């Protein structure tokens, strides 16, 4: 599903960061609330630019109010800070995040 979502348009926002976001239809049971996950990766976005960090946002399949948009906005805003890629690279344990 993430690959299909990425094929619709790159979720890479530059600076080696991607924010894939999507509803989760068909999951049993479907999530009742918004979920997110952060991690490292060694991928290339559909625009062929490298991605080292991702912030995944998934929402319930019948998400009408687009609750993920404010979360997406906050992550994008955070990602614009000049030292974010370096700070993310320096993390070694989940508790440091």
């Amino acid at each position: 599903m993430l690959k299909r979502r990425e094929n619709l348009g790159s979720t890479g926002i530059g600076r080696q960061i991607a924010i894939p976001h999507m509803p989760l239809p068909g999951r049993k049971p479907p999530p009742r609330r918004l979920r997110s996950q952060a991690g490292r990766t060694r991928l290339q976005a559909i625009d062929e630019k490298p991605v080292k960090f991702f912030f995944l946002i998934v929402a319930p399949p019948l998400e009408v109010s687009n609750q993920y948009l404010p979360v997406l906005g906050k992550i994008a805003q955070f990602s614009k800070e000049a030292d974010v890629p370096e700070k993310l690279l320096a993390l070694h344990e989940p508790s440091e995040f």
Side-chain angles (χ1 to χ4, degrees):
M1 291 184 70
L2 281 172
K3 188 164 182 79
R4 276 190 272 157
R5 167 59 186 94
E6 193 68 19
N7 286 334
L8 292 174
S10 177
T11 59
I13 62 168
R15 303 180 51 168
Q16 303 174 340
I17 298 172
I19 312 173
H21 51 284
M22 59 191 289
L24 274 182
R27 183 171 173 229
K28 305 276 190 231
R32 293 184 182 176
R33 58 190 170 116
L34 191 77
R35 302 277 186 191
S36 64
Q37 183 74 40
R40 289 187 184 179
T41 185
R42 291 184 186 157
L43 296 176
Q44 218 170 12
I46 194 170
D47 59 6
E48 298 186 10
K49 295 187 179 178
V51 173
K52 289 186 180 177
F53 313 101
F54 69 90
F55 296 88
L56 171 65
I57 304 168
V58 294
L62 299 176
E63 179 63 50
V64 178
S65 64
N66 291 325
Q67 291 176 353
Y68 71 90
L69 291 177
V71 175
L72 178 67
K74 291 280 188 189
I75 295 170
Q77 185 178 28
F78 159 79
S79 299
K80 288 181 183 179
E81 294 178 19
D83 59 350
V84 165
E86 292 80 24
K87 283 184 176 179
L88 290 172
L89 272 175
L91 301 176
H92 298 288
E93 298 294 327
S95 60
E96 296 173 326
F97 184 76

